[in-house]
Amino acid sequence: MNTSTIDRYTLKHYTRLIISFFGSLLVLTVYQYATLYFKGVVDVIFGTSFFIALVHQMGYSSLVGVLLAFPFNFWENLRPRYGFNLVFVVLLLLLMIEAMLISYFCTALVPLGSDLLGYSFEDIQTTIANSGGISWVLPLGFIGIVGMFFGLYKVSSKHYHHINKMYPFTIILISMFIATLFIEGKPIDHNKTQYLALNLYDSSTEDTSYNSDVEYPLIKSKPIPNVLGEYFQLKDSKPNIVFIMVEGLGRDFVGEGAEYGGFTPFLDSLTTKSLYWENCLSNTGRTFGVLPSLLGSLPFGKSGFMELEKYPNKLTLFSILKNNGYHTSFYQGTNSSFDNVDRFLSSENVDFVLDKSGFGKNYQMQAEDAAGASWGYPDKELFKKSMSLPREAEQPRMEVYMTISTHEPFIPPKKDFYEAKVAQLLSKRDYDRKTKKVIEKNDNVFATLLYADDALKYVLEAYRQQPNYDNTIFIITGDHRLIPIPQRNNLSRFHVPLIMFSPLLKQTKKISAVNSHFDVTPTLLALLEANYELKMPKKVAWMGDALDMSEEFRSKKHIPLMRNKNELKEFVDGEKLYSDGSVYELDENMDLSSAFGGSKSEAKLKAFKSMNAYVTNKDKIIPDSLAIFSVKKEKFTDSEIIWINSVYNGQNFDKVYMIARELAFEREYEKSLLLSRYILSEAPSHIDTKILTGRVNVWMGNYDKSIEILKDCIKMNPNYIDSYSALFDVYFWSERPKEAIELIDQVERNSSSAHEIKDKIERARRQAQKKGIAASLKKKNRSDT
């Protein structure tokens, strides 16, 4: 007897699978709206938006049902159960993907789109780890999805008699899919998997061909006007410039009329003592774009300027001020390799960079989250570390800070204290019902805002003790608006305060005109150039222009806004905002109302995309003759690249470092140095690789080169014990006990891990004693005191 006919699954079983798939999507949709409701993002769960989402889930189920019907039949006819098992697994995978994308949406409040391609695997790992990590909830959720899907399939057998045949059901599926094409949906309504797939397709097939006779379209034909001159009483010596880029600092939290006011009291008071632009826009909706936009007025490229494989010639505030005698520095409490910050800073020859690796033992890292991960050092620790560093009174400085505390997972120091302050503010201030609900559900976020505000108060007071405080200009702004808090509209994500405070100010002013980060660098340079003999290129290339100083609300600028990496979908066109196919009118409160005439704005965005791709891909921002620092890019021969690719197939840099280290152990020194050089060309802050190059050089007998490299490693990261360990070895082998004794004091002062190399410290002391150096050093120290 042939059992294949008996065992074969029919279209009846297939139909039950698709119905179960839709039922599971329905449950996930309920989960999405319930989560958003309890976070205070939506007012009701089962509202109009929910039912629109339900229709879109029907359409998605229909599309999947039609597409999988053919492979189901083919494999079932080929061999019983194969088609059923294949479709069951595919549908289960699609449900798990949808569940993860919905969870992402509930956290970020925007769906995941083509920006997924803009992040490296290491960046994604870091973000997940430092934003709560993957806990036991994830596998439990997957088990729940499997159980739900299988359970609905079992239950569907009792109700299958309502669907008699596959043919009419297929017609219904196709009709549902076609219906969704005519029903307008917002990101909240869409099936998130379908949204991601369409977004990736649109991004990869978008036409950005550039048609123009202008070779360098960003070069300015007219000088930038000095709009700040009347507000400042500058001294004879150039002023210090200090930027503080505050993570997530949106306008909704700062200044008069803030929707969630009261949680930044220091900044609120500072806005009344400063030049304060209340309607400034960050040019990107994530941190990846703030450095190039704010300090370089640079275009985006496809995924953000810092993601470009090869940087084109460019001008930034870093390079221009460094070329005019400024000491340039950058401070952050996190890993500078994230988002390629270190690579961008290296291309600008920044004099000093402090990141997570360079704090030392006297500073407390941010508390670990439930997954045991920490971004790094909280804001106040960052400012304390910076204030401990020496500053030359005679040399002007450009200092840039990037904070992290107001980022997920929102764990400020003294968490209980700040959450109690949130509760106190809620009891005293008259918030409306919806706002109060959002604050209550996100008290950890608002507690972190209070902490960040205190940290800013600390650092501005601490600067009073620094050289030339009275000749310093402070610029404080947000990189974008806090993402987990519900936003009013599509522009809120970019709406940030811009505060320019200085003892040099002659008058204060609140400015309501719409500006963007693109305008800050051109405006500051116009102020400096009008008062000092700056060495400036004959021509400059900026995305922005002079800041608009109008007290009255107006919006005259054309401002592209990149929501996420790979997602350039918003464009401010005067008083209109084009956003992902829709056009809105801006009012004085930065609220949006529907408007007509979006075709011109869409055409301007399309033209910008073409120009943006052209100047970044073809190195057409400025010609070589205008570049201050030519971009230093390591050059490799064709044969070297082939060999590198043969051993490095896209793993993260930690893994390829292990390959380079193994080559060094095998005495393949040249190959180890070549691979190390490649790693450092892509990740300049990868300190283990840099230490390895120091060790390899000493093994090759290049003592002086090795010492130079390892000293630079210690300067780069004074806490990291491996640098000291390697340098102690070099001093021992090259018989330099005097330098080794001096290194002992340095390691014990800077590193919390000095005990780990106790044997090498003792070895250095013994060698010094044999040479009679320790005693002479003690005598010298006594005479010095």
Side-chain angles (χ1 to χ4, degrees):
M1 182 177 178
N2 188 354
T3 60
S4 63
T5 305
I6 299 173
D7 293 336
R8 182 179 178 273
Y9 281 95
T10 65
L11 289 176
K12 169 184 174 180
H13 299 94
Y14 178 77
T15 305
R16 287 170 55 196
L17 280 178
I18 299 301
I19 292 171
S20 305
F21 178 66
F22 169 70
S24 300
L25 289 174
L26 174 60
V27 174
L28 290 175
T29 304
V30 173
Y31 162 77
Q32 170 186 288
Y33 280 87
T35 301
L36 295 175
Y37 173 75
F38 288 113
K39 289 181 71 172
V41 179
V42 297
D43 296 326
V44 295
I45 297 175
F46 300 106
T48 303
S49 178
F50 173 84
F51 291 105
I52 294 175
L54 189 61
V55 172
H56 280 277
Q57 295 290 27
M58 285 181 182
Y60 176 66
S61 302
S62 306
L63 177 63
V64 171
V66 171
L67 292 177
L68 292 182
F70 303 103
F72 171 83
N73 265 323
F74 174 80
W75 285 104
E76 278 299 321
N77 288 327
L78 188 67
R79 190 160 183 177
R81 296 181 182 270
Y82 270 41
F84 179 88
N85 292 338
L86 171 67
V87 170
F88 187 93
V89 170
V90 169
L91 293 178
L92 201 55
L93 285 173
L94 289 175
L95 285 173
M96 290 180 176
I97 291 170
E98 181 69 8
M100 288 189 289
L101 292 175
I102 284 176
S103 295
Y104 175 88
F105 178 78
C106 289
T107 300
L109 303 184
V110 291
L112 186 64
S114 55
D115 53 315
L116 175 66
L117 301 178
Y119 291 94
S120 66
F121 182 68
E122 293 76 26
D123 284 354
I124 293 172
Q125 282 183 310
T126 301
T127 302
I128 292 173
N130 292 302
S131 300
I134 298 175
S135 65
W136 56 270
V137 176
L138 186 63
L140 193 65
F142 284 164
I143 292 171
I145 290 170
V146 174
M148 174 178 64
F149 183 46
F150 187 74
L152 286 172
Y153 174 75
K154 288 293 185 183
V155 170
S156 67
S157 64
K158 298 179 182 179
H159 305 283
Y160 182 75
H161 59 277
H162 295 297
I163 302 175
N164 294 320
K165 296 180 180 179
M166 182 64 186
Y167 178 72
F169 180 66
T170 304
I171 298 298
I172 293 171
L173 290 178
I174 295 174
S175 301
M176 287 180 177
F177 171 64
I178 293 174
T180 61
L181 301 179
F182 298 95
I183 297 177
E184 183 182 358
K186 301 297 182 184
I188 188 174
D189 309 322
H190 284 298
N191 172 275
K192 304 303 180 288
T193 309
Q194 188 174 352
Y195 180 93
L196 174 62
L198 291 174
N199 214 261
L200 291 171
Y201 174 79
D202 290 343
S203 177
S204 61
T205 58
E206 187 174 38
D207 179 19
T208 56
S209 55
Y210 180 73
N211 299 309
S212 176
D213 295 331
V214 181
E215 186 177 6
Y216 294 95
L218 286 179
I219 289 182
K220 299 290 183 183
S221 57
K222 296 180 180 178
I224 304 294
N226 178 24
V227 297
L228 295 179
E230 63 182 285
Y231 301 95
F232 282 89
Q233 183 67 54
L234 295 180
K235 298 176 181 291
D236 292 336
S237 56
K238 300 185 189 88
N240 300 319
I241 307 291
V242 177
F243 282 88
I244 304 178
M245 300 175 294
V246 183
E247 171 70 36
L249 186 68
R251 169 66 178 87
D252 287 345
F253 311 100
V254 178
E256 183 183 0
E259 183 178 3
Y260 299 98
F263 297 94
T264 57
F266 172 71
L267 281 182
D268 292 345
S269 67
L270 197 65
T271 62
T272 65
K273 305 169 187 175
S274 309
L275 294 178
Y276 167 48
W277 289 264
E278 65 173 350
N279 290 326
C280 184
L281 298 175
S282 63
N283 295 100
T284 57
R286 292 279 194 178
T287 310
F288 70 87
V290 67
L291 272 175
S293 299
L294 187 66
L295 303 180
S297 197
L298 290 165
F300 304 120
K302 184 173 179 59
S303 304
F305 190 90
M306 294 193 298
E307 292 292 327
L308 291 170
E309 185 176 343
K310 181 181 179 182
Y311 291 147
N313 287 324
K314 61 190 184 300
L315 297 170
T316 73
L317 199 59
F318 273 131
S319 59
I320 291 175
L321 293 190
K322 183 179 173 69
N323 196 43
N324 282 276
Y326 276 73
H327 180 273
T328 56
S329 55
F330 178 84
Y331 310 96
Q332 70 176 132
T334 58
N335 191 339
S336 62
S337 64
F338 191 82
D339 276 336
N340 292 318
V341 169
D342 58 347
R343 189 165 148 254
F344 179 78
L345 298 174
S346 177
S347 74
E348 290 301 290
N349 289 333
V350 173
D351 292 311
F352 176 76
V353 176
L354 171 74
D355 76 349
K356 179 180 178 179
S357 64
F359 274 71
K361 63 183 180 180
N362 297 321
Y363 301 90
Q364 186 66 44
M365 283 185 67
Q366 178 178 288
E368 294 179 347
D369 59 23
S374 171
W375 275 110
Y377 292 87
D379 297 354
K380 202 165 187 179
E381 296 296 288
L382 169 65
F383 295 140
K384 284 180 179 178
K385 175 65 179 180
S386 165
M387 292 298 102
S388 73
L389 299 171
R391 287 168 168 84
E392 293 291 335
E394 295 78 19
Q395 186 178 23
R397 305 184 305 275
M398 176 187 171
E399 303 184 342
V400 180
Y401 294 87
M402 184 180 286
T403 72
I404 193 59
S405 292
T406 35
H407 190 290
E408 288 178 308
F410 304 107
I411 309 175
K414 300 194 293 183
K415 184 171 180 285
D416 293 341
F417 169 77
Y418 285 107
E419 288 186 352
K421 287 187 72 173
V422 172
Q424 189 178 15
L425 278 167
L426 275 172
S427 66
K428 289 183 177 181
R429 289 177 66 101
D430 187 24
Y431 296 102
D432 63 58
R433 184 187 63 82
K434 183 177 180 181
T435 303
K436 187 174 183 180
K437 181 181 178 182
V438 170
I439 296 170
E440 288 173 341
K441 297 293 183 183
N442 299 276
D443 61 337
N444 62 325
V445 177
F446 290 92
T448 312
L449 271 172
L450 286 167
Y451 164 77
D453 188 67
D454 279 352
L456 289 167
K457 181 179 180 181
Y458 161 80
V459 74
L460 260 71
E461 289 177 350
Y463 260 106
R464 293 178 182 273
Q465 311 304 318
Q466 294 295 331
N468 295 330
Y469 164 77
D470 60 348
N471 193 24
T472 303
I473 299 173
F474 297 90
I475 299 101
I476 301 172
T477 189
D479 57 349
H480 55 81
R481 182 194 182 279
L482 275 170
I483 290 171
I485 303 302
Q487 57 189 36
R488 288 178 296 141
N489 54 52
N490 290 8
L491 198 59
S492 295
R493 187 186 188 94
F494 307 95
H495 192 188
V496 296
L498 175 64
I499 302 168
M500 196 174 290
F501 169 77
S502 175
L504 298 167
L505 276 174
K506 293 191 294 185
Q507 57 177 303
T508 64
K509 186 177 183 180
K510 184 172 85 167
I511 299 114
S512 296
V514 175
N515 291 277
S516 83
H517 282 165
F518 280 153
D519 305 317
V520 176
T521 283
T523 305
L524 278 174
L525 284 172
L527 172 68
L528 297 176
E529 193 175 11
N531 289 272
Y532 307 99
E533 293 184 7
L534 291 189
K535 291 184 287 184
M536 287 284 292
K538 293 179 181 179
K539 294 181 180 180
V540 293
W542 308 125
M543 284 292 301
D545 211 310
L547 285 163
D548 190 337
M549 304 298 291
S550 173
E551 289 183 271
E552 302 299 320
F553 173 81
R554 67 183 184 189
S555 182
K556 303 193 304 180
K557 295 178 179 288
H558 305 292
I559 308 170
L561 303 170
M562 182 173 262
R563 186 188 305 172
N564 292 305
K565 293 183 180 181
N566 280 331
E567 291 193 328
L568 187 50
K569 297 186 175 184
E570 274 83 20
F571 188 84
V572 173
D573 183 15
E575 292 193 358
K576 289 182 178 179
L577 170 71
Y578 176 83
S579 178
D580 205 6
S582 301
V583 63
Y584 306 93
E585 198 84 28
L586 275 70
D587 67 16
E588 65 274 9
N589 298 315
M590 299 295 274
D591 287 327
L592 304 179
S593 56
S594 296
F596 298 100
S599 58
K600 289 184 178 179
S601 301
E602 184 178 11
K604 288 177 183 178
L605 175 58
K606 186 175 181 181
F608 169 74
K609 287 181 177 180
S610 297
M611 184 275 291
N612 172 62
Y614 166 73
V615 297
T616 52
N617 293 336
K618 302 295 185 181
D619 192 4
K620 295 297 182 179
I621 297 178
I622 57 171
D624 293 345
S625 60
L626 296 181
I628 294 175
F629 300 128
S630 58
V631 178
K632 295 178 180 178
K633 184 72 177 177
E634 284 282 359
K635 294 182 179 180
F636 300 93
T637 65
D638 292 342
S639 60
E640 286 175 337
I641 286 294
I642 291 173
W643 178 81
I644 289 169
N645 291 337
S646 73
V647 297
Y648 174 66
N649 59 1
Q651 313 108 309
N652 63 42
F653 289 116
D654 288 337
K655 289 183 179 178
V656 73
Y657 156 74
M658 296 302 293
I659 297 173
R661 192 178 76 155
E662 191 61 34
L663 286 168
F665 290 163
E666 294 171 358
R667 300 193 178 188
E668 297 277 0
Y669 297 140
E670 295 296 340
K671 288 184 177 179
S672 177
L673 287 176
L674 172 60
L675 200 53
S676 296
R677 190 159 57 90
Y678 176 78
I679 297 169
L680 292 172
S681 73
E682 298 296 325
S685 64
H686 201 278
I687 192 167
D688 285 327
T689 300
K690 200 163 186 178
I691 294 170
L692 179 62
T693 63
R695 287 192 176 278
V696 171
N697 268 281
V698 75
W699 294 336
M700 295 172 70
N702 302 325
Y703 291 106
D704 290 341
K705 180 68 174 175
S706 175
I707 291 170
E708 178 188 345
I709 292 170
L710 295 173
K711 280 185 174 181
D712 193 48
C713 290
I714 291 171
K715 180 182 176 182
M716 173 180 168
N717 183 348
N719 183 48
Y720 199 47
I721 198 63
D722 286 11
S723 306
Y724 297 99
S725 177
L727 191 52
F728 272 121
D729 286 341
V730 179
Y731 285 153
F732 178 74
W733 294 329
S734 60
E735 295 187 352
R736 305 188 193 199
K738 180 180 177 181
E739 289 89 338
I741 290 295
E742 292 170 349
L743 186 62
I744 293 173
D745 178 64
Q746 190 177 0
V747 67
E748 291 178 342
R749 184 174 65 251
N750 291 333
S751 180
S752 56
S753 305
H755 62 279
E756 294 180 11
I757 57 169
K758 185 179 178 181
D759 56 333
K760 295 188 179 184
I761 292 173
E762 292 302 320
R763 183 183 66 184
R765 287 191 174 122
R766 289 195 300 271
Q767 188 182 45
Q769 286 173 353
K770 287 181 181 178
K771 300 286 185 180
I773 289 175
S776 63
L777 279 177
K778 288 178 182 177
K779 290 176 183 176
K780 181 179 183 298
N781 290 337
R782 282 197 295 270
S783 64
D784 289 342
T785 57

